[in-house]
Amino acid sequence: MFKLLLLDKLSLSKRALKVKQDVENLYQEELKSGWTVASITSQKGRKLDTVSIQGQARTEELIHEIIDAVLEDRHVVVGLYGMGGIGKTTLLRYANEHFRKTEQFESVIFTTVSATPNFVEIRKQIAKSLGLDHSICQDEDDLKERLFRLLQTRKYILILDDMWEVVDLDEICIPAPTKENGCKILMASRSKAIATRFGIRFVAKDSLQLIQVNKLRPDEAWKLFVQKVGENITSKPAIEPLAKEVLRKCGGLPLAIVVIGGTMSTRETKGEWRDALRELEQSASNLEGMEEVFAILMFSFEKLEQLEQSLFLYCCLFPEDSSFMIKSLVDFATGEETLCGMQELGDMRNKVDVLVGKLRNSSMLEDDVDGRFKMHDVIRELGVWITSSKSNEYHSKFIAKARARITEAAPDDVLEWHKATKISLMQSEIESLPLLPHLCPQLHTLLLQRTRIKDIPQLHFLEQMPTLRILDLSRTRIENLPPSISHLVNLRLLCLRHCYDLQKLPPEIGMLVQLISLDLLGCESLRELPVEMNRLNNLRLLNLRWTFHLERMPHGMLSGLHKLEELDALKSGLKWYTNDIEDLSRLTCLISIKSEGIREITKMKVSHWFKPIAKCMVKLRLRNCDIDPSAMLNLLEDSSEFGKDVNFLSSKGLTCVPTRGCTRLTIQGCPDLKTLLVAEEAEMNAFESLQDLVLDSVFEFETLCIGVPQTGCFSNLEKIKIQRCPNLKVLFTNGVTRLLKELRFLHVHLCSQLVNLISELTTICHFDLNWSSLSTVFVDNCPRLEREGLPFRSAIVSIIEKESVSLFLFFTASNHYMLCIIIQKVLV
């Protein structure tokens, strides 16, 4: 028996050594691969937001049922199925959060498949869920191999949402789950057949558990409806029975309840509810399989205002499951001119913000990360259905094939272009555009961004689109625009963002006299702009950001852009010359200009046109200019949060200076300035951001402030240097010194008429001055201060003793320096 035990121990020892060697070999292999344990964080999975299911007992039961099914040893795949909008995603998100917080699995991976799966993005999502930095991978094949190898060593649960077709796990780079490795898959689809076919591809049918997700029970539906409408409305005796009848039309579908509830949340009278019920009863849909959903959701669509409807339908042109920025919606509003009567870009953006808010409140749009938006897939399908040829009630026809796997437009599609008002092929694999045999008389919008298109046909393409208003070629491989672009005489928005290969624009672009927005952001190869662009007298936005090789504007180009409101040239190669600034000065509509290239304004008439330029200049310098004083009052009011270095040099007409947005202020050789601040005219906290003040050769300057300034003025001023100001008599008038709580350095030099630094010495002697921060004062070559300022010196001595000032030096006489007071006190 002892020998048997000894043999068993020896066997265990050998196996332990083998396992240890295997681990060491695996570790060395990972070191060679470049993907070490150190590159893997402790992240277990992505945290996902979940909506409230309070009062939905059946939903809570279903979550427990799903979790139990996943943990059941005989189940390898658990599939949810049910109609769109029924709540499958909500259930999966709750399951994801449960398994993230428990120890059943080492890795929890959540990803959305969608009707057109983007496996590159899915693999990145998986890497993110695992806490891996996919950027260290050499290429996609490297990422695939690393993911597969890593997951072979992990006990994982893979959660796949919104599966429309059976996907291959090899594409996702997931090793197949088995009963032996303990890995599981939890997935959701609208189709029971898809869920079944997916599961039995790699497990026996008895290892597949299907769970149907049904509609909410009446009591749960009512609780959810009350949450969305508001109990203050549904509890009214006259409205409650009508509300329950409206709810009955929702059929227990959570999405429909949320959408209809949001729509009815602002209707508080019996008449409004009766009218809503009538419209709901009349709404119908013939779309097979979606009749019930669309009949409900169409009601909410029809309750939108016309502008909201237009914006909502435009959102359906984006790919499924994608998010989009509000800029894209502003582009639509700008290009389509749906915002009638609005001319300024700022007004359009504000209006789009309002419209987006209404769509979000109606649950027609959802928030995504980083301030972006997205559409629920069922809601998007509603919009696609509305704008398809299957819907005969609407005249606008869209072709929405975003992210479609097409390499060219099929003949049938080309024929459909004849009827379409909007076409979206964005993110599709199309490489060439078709020659169009017929006109596209109604086409307003053509979205081709992120496609593989390298060029536009020279003939028989753009000529066929006489009404085109929006053309988006962003992130395509296009190198040149054809001369035929001149045929797009109604084009309002041309977007060429990140067209890295674009070398130049054709002179014919000057024919686009209706163009409102030209976006060239990120066109890194662009080296010149055609002077013919000066004909774009309706252009309001010109974006040249990150055009690194664009060094200058053609002479006279800017002067023709009479309606230009916004010019963005940040991180461009533009160098600004006097002629360019003169051109800008003629643009009376200019509101915003962004550029680091404007260094100094010289010999110009400076008036209100200068405000947007001033905001963009890192260091504001005006030299030998003729200044309109009224333009100075609020010159930098939008810059106060960061402050500027402002210089006025040998310029006429400067009778006042900006009181906001200035950190360092230098005024030199300006003959018309008498004071910085007139207290009666100034706002509270004037010069609050000012820290450093220099006045040099300002011959008419008399005093820092006229009158008693309000609290907060000069509150951060640390340093004052004044020299060669012969008309300066009193530097600080009554009430100014009490505000200078941060003043540390004061230097007054060659001010021949200076009598007193401070107007009333008696106030000082009574210690009304709080100047504990002041450390150094130099006053030299101020002869009148010597003769008439004796009381001043004795008062200063008293201040020094009381306030612990470290150093005061006073010098007088014009030809030689005479030390009047040297007092130095060491602070302990």
Side-chain angles (χ1 to χ4, degrees):
M1 176 63 102
F2 177 78
K3 289 182 179 180
L4 288 174
L5 289 172
L6 182 61
L7 288 172
D8 285 343
K9 289 182 179 180
L10 288 172
S11 177
L12 286 171
S13 177
K14 287 180 179 179
R15 278 192 289 169
L17 287 172
K18 185 178 185 304
V19 169
K20 180 177 181 293
Q21 187 62 47
D22 288 343
V23 170
E24 290 178 350
N25 291 340
L26 181 61
Y27 180 72
Q28 292 300 321
E29 185 179 348
E30 290 299 309
L31 284 176
K32 293 176 183 177
S33 72
W35 196 343
T36 66
V37 175
S39 69
I40 303 175
T41 72
S42 60
Q43 182 172 329
K44 189 171 184 177
R46 283 195 300 150
K47 184 181 186 305
L48 301 175
D49 294 332
T50 54
V51 298
S52 173
I53 56 171
Q54 182 180 0
Q56 300 177 35
R58 174 54 188 153
T59 303
E60 294 176 350
E61 293 170 5
L62 203 54
I63 291 171
H64 291 301
E65 181 181 346
I66 292 167
I67 293 171
D68 290 341
V70 169
L71 297 178
E72 175 64 46
D73 289 341
R74 62 190 177 92
H75 298 151
V76 176
V77 178
V78 177
L80 310 185
Y81 69 94
M83 66 184 300
I86 202 67
K88 301 185 295 297
T89 298
T90 297
L91 295 168
L92 292 185
R93 284 173 173 261
Y94 268 95
N96 178 86
E97 291 308 293
H98 170 82
F99 291 122
R100 280 184 64 251
K101 297 173 182 177
T102 56
E103 301 301 320
Q104 286 98 353
F105 298 97
E106 295 172 298
S107 296
V108 181
I109 306 166
F110 186 105
T111 188
T112 302
V113 181
S114 78
T116 55
N118 184 333
F119 291 112
V120 173
E121 289 301 318
I122 288 174
R123 287 190 287 270
K124 289 180 181 178
Q125 286 184 17
I126 293 173
K128 186 176 180 180
S129 296
L130 295 170
L132 304 177
D133 181 5
H134 63 80
S135 64
I136 68 173
C137 300
Q138 298 176 0
D139 51 30
E140 279 299 311
D141 290 336
D142 188 23
L143 175 60
K144 291 179 182 179
E145 180 183 351
R146 291 171 186 266
L147 280 176
F148 191 86
R149 286 169 54 201
L150 179 63
L151 286 173
Q152 281 183 315
T153 66
R154 295 273 186 98
K155 182 181 178 182
Y156 69 81
I157 178 171
L158 174 63
I159 303 176
L160 300 172
D161 190 20
D162 197 22
M163 186 181 294
W164 287 68
E165 295 292 340
V166 175
V167 298
D168 189 345
L169 286 185
D170 290 338
E171 283 284 351
I172 306 178
C173 296
I174 299 288
T178 63
K179 290 182 180 179
E180 289 73 20
N181 63 25
C183 299
K184 301 290 180 81
I185 291 181
L186 173 61
M187 53 82 65
S189 175
R190 297 183 188 181
S191 168
K192 182 179 180 180
I194 294 295
T196 303
R197 284 166 46 200
F198 172 77
I200 63 176
R201 288 191 68 174
F202 47 88
V203 296
K205 192 172 183 178
D206 60 358
S207 296
L208 169 66
Q209 174 68 24
L210 296 181
I211 299 174
Q212 183 175 7
V213 182
N214 293 310
K215 302 171 186 178
L216 294 178
R217 294 189 305 221
D219 58 330
E220 294 178 325
W222 175 248
K223 289 179 181 178
L224 178 59
F225 192 64
V226 170
Q227 287 177 12
K228 298 302 175 183
V229 177
E231 189 172 3
N232 62 319
I233 297 176
T234 56
S235 62
K236 294 179 180 179
I239 289 179
E240 182 175 351
L242 296 172
K244 289 184 175 179
E245 190 62 22
V246 168
L247 175 63
R248 188 180 65 81
K249 297 292 184 180
C250 295
L253 183 65
L255 177 61
I257 295 171
V258 169
V259 172
I260 298 298
T263 300
M264 301 305 299
S265 63
T266 58
R267 289 160 173 76
E268 301 183 5
T269 67
K270 182 177 180 180
E272 287 176 310
W273 279 82
R274 283 192 177 277
D275 186 66
L277 185 58
R278 177 189 61 80
E279 292 185 355
L280 258 180
E281 290 172 344
Q282 292 177 352
S283 180
S285 169
N286 295 319
L287 185 64
E288 183 178 358
M290 295 296 291
E291 300 91 341
E292 185 178 1
V293 179
F294 285 171
I296 295 168
L297 298 180
M298 273 298 294
F299 166 71
S300 288
F301 172 78
E302 290 165 351
K303 297 305 282 186
L304 297 174
E305 297 176 1
Q306 184 177 356
L307 290 179
E308 296 165 17
Q309 288 184 355
S310 298
L311 198 61
F312 166 75
L313 294 177
Y314 182 78
C315 294
C316 302
L317 295 171
F318 292 94
E320 182 186 13
D321 292 323
S322 72
S323 60
F324 42 87
M325 298 182 295
I326 198 167
K327 179 200 174 296
S328 300
L329 307 185
V330 173
D331 285 349
F332 163 70
T334 303
E336 289 282 2
E337 283 201 342
T338 55
L339 305 181
C340 301
M342 293 189 182
Q343 298 296 320
E344 294 186 0
L345 294 174
D347 292 339
M348 291 184 184
R349 292 192 183 101
N350 294 338
K351 186 63 174 179
V352 170
D353 278 340
V354 172
L355 296 176
V356 168
K358 290 182 177 180
L359 291 177
R360 290 169 57 235
N361 292 337
S362 302
S363 300
M364 307 296 270
L365 273 186
E366 299 178 357
D367 292 329
D368 202 14
V369 295
D370 300 327
R372 300 168 73 94
F373 305 96
K374 61 182 180 179
M375 302 186 81
H376 189 283
D377 54 357
V378 177
I379 295 290
R380 179 181 178 273
E381 284 181 12
L382 170 71
V384 171
W385 174 79
I386 290 171
T387 57
S388 70
S389 58
K390 298 177 183 179
S391 173
N392 297 320
E393 299 178 21
Y394 293 87
H395 298 293
S396 295
K397 308 298 178 186
F398 293 6
I399 298 176
K401 293 193 175 182
R403 206 183 282 162
R405 294 184 177 180
I406 55 175
T407 56
E408 61 182 5
D412 290 344
D413 293 334
V414 173
L415 293 175
E416 285 295 309
W417 286 34
H418 180 72
K419 308 173 186 176
T421 60
K422 294 177 177 60
I423 296 174
S424 174
L425 301 175
M426 68 172 74
Q427 299 187 34
S428 68
E429 298 178 2
I430 191 168
E431 296 182 354
S432 61
L433 294 169
L435 296 178
L436 301 177
H438 305 291
L439 284 174
C440 304
Q442 302 178 75
L443 189 61
H444 287 175
T445 301
L446 180 58
L447 305 178
L448 300 169
Q449 57 263 46
R450 293 180 182 268
T451 59
R452 300 180 180 181
I453 294 170
K454 293 183 179 180
D455 54 55
I456 295 176
Q458 296 284 340
L459 299 173
H460 307 305
F461 187 77
L462 295 180
E463 297 96 316
Q464 306 297 317
M465 305 174 184
T467 61
L468 195 66
R469 297 177 181 175
I470 294 177
L471 176 58
D472 196 330
L473 293 162
S474 301
R475 295 186 184 272
T476 59
R477 303 174 183 179
I478 193 166
E479 296 179 1
N480 293 290
L481 292 178
S484 58
I485 197 170
S486 61
H487 291 274
L488 304 182
V489 293
N490 290 296
L491 196 68
R492 305 187 189 284
L493 184 139
L494 177 58
C495 193
L496 298 163
R497 282 188 158 219
H498 299 294
C499 290
Y500 301 113
D501 298 324
L502 184 67
Q503 301 280 337
K504 62 180 180 179
L505 299 177
E508 288 78 7
I509 198 171
M511 303 293 289
L512 308 182
V513 293
Q514 297 298 320
L515 198 64
I516 294 174
S517 176
L518 177 57
D519 195 339
L520 299 167
L521 179 146
C523 293
E524 298 178 357
S525 301
L526 190 66
R527 295 183 178 274
E528 59 181 332
L529 298 175
V531 69
E532 288 81 2
M533 281 179 57
N534 64 4
R535 302 176 190 170
L536 302 179
N537 53 24
N538 203 42
L539 193 69
R540 300 174 203 172
L541 184 146
L542 178 57
N543 193 345
L544 301 173
R545 184 178 290 208
W546 299 336
T547 52
F548 305 120
H549 289 96
L550 184 66
E551 293 188 354
R552 72 164 304 170
M553 302 277 195
H555 178 56
M557 190 204 83
L558 284 172
S559 60
L561 309 182
H562 302 302
K563 293 186 180 180
L564 192 67
E565 298 176 22
E566 300 178 13
L567 173 60
D568 189 343
L570 283 175
K571 306 298 181 183
S572 73
L574 280 176
K575 297 178 176 63
W576 295 88
Y577 300 93
T578 301
N579 290 338
D580 300 323
I581 303 298
E582 289 177 349
D583 286 346
L584 286 175
S585 70
R586 299 185 180 97
L587 303 182
T588 57
C589 295
L590 194 63
I591 297 172
S592 171
I593 176 172
K594 300 175 182 177
S595 175
E596 306 95 335
I598 302 177
R599 303 297 182 186
E600 183 173 281
I601 307 298
T602 306
K603 297 180 180 179
M604 296 194 67
K605 172 70 176 177
V606 175
S607 58
H608 293 280
W609 65 267
F610 180 64
K611 184 174 180 178
I613 298 178
K615 288 194 295 185
C616 84
M617 295 177 69
V618 177
K619 185 174 183 178
L620 178 60
R621 294 175 64 89
L622 298 180
R623 185 185 295 275
N624 294 320
C625 292
D626 187 0
I627 297 175
D628 177 358
S630 65
M632 296 294 106
L633 296 176
N634 300 312
L635 183 66
L636 301 173
E637 61 181 0
D638 299 329
S639 307
S640 57
E641 67 274 11
F642 54 88
K644 284 185 183 295
D645 186 345
V646 179
N647 297 260
F648 296 101
L649 310 173
S650 302
S651 295
K652 297 179 180 179
L654 185 70
T655 59
C656 61
V657 295
T659 61
R660 305 274 186 194
C662 180
T663 303
R664 175 182 170 86
L665 177 61
T666 300
I667 304 171
Q668 184 180 63
C670 297
D672 301 311
L673 186 68
K674 294 184 177 182
T675 184
L676 288 188
L677 188 67
V678 178
E680 292 182 356
E681 302 173 359
E683 299 177 355
M684 186 176 291
N685 299 325
F687 292 107
E688 181 182 22
S689 58
L690 184 62
Q691 298 175 10
D692 195 336
L693 173 64
V694 176
L695 295 167
D696 185 359
S697 304
V698 188
F699 300 129
E700 295 299 318
F701 190 76
E702 297 177 354
T703 186
L704 192 71
C705 176
I706 297 175
V708 180
Q710 300 184 55
T711 303
C713 297
F714 302 111
S715 57
N716 289 292
L717 188 57
E718 299 177 359
K719 182 178 179 180
I720 299 176
K721 182 176 182 179
I722 300 177
Q723 60 186 12
R724 288 182 286 273
C725 295
N727 210 35
L728 177 65
K729 296 182 177 64
V730 177
L731 180 56
F732 303 125
T733 53
N734 279 341
V736 174
T737 54
R738 64 182 173 82
L739 303 174
L740 299 174
K741 298 178 181 179
E742 299 296 326
L743 190 66
R744 295 190 175 95
F745 179 88
L746 175 63
H747 186 183
V748 184
H749 171 64
L750 284 171
C751 296
S752 59
Q753 298 300 313
L754 182 66
V755 177
N756 284 324
L757 290 181
I758 307 170
S759 60
E760 289 190 15
L761 302 178
T762 55
T763 304
I764 298 171
C765 293
H766 286 89
F767 312 115
D768 186 44
L769 177 64
N770 181 15
W771 245 351
S772 59
S773 62
L774 190 63
S775 60
T776 305
V777 176
F778 289 96
V779 181
D780 67 288
N781 282 277
C782 302
R784 292 196 64 188
L785 184 64
E786 179 189 9
R787 292 195 303 271
E788 303 176 13
L790 292 176
F792 172 80
R793 290 200 297 272
S794 60
I796 288 294
V797 172
S798 179
I799 294 170
I800 293 171
E801 292 174 347
K802 295 293 183 182
E803 301 296 339
S804 300
V805 177
S806 61
L807 178 64
F808 272 77
L809 296 176
F810 291 86
F811 298 92
T812 61
S814 57
N815 296 321
H816 65 279
Y817 294 99
M818 181 177 67
L819 181 62
C820 294
I821 301 176
I822 300 180
I823 298 178
Q824 185 169 2
K825 185 170 184 178
V826 179
L827 300 178
V828 179

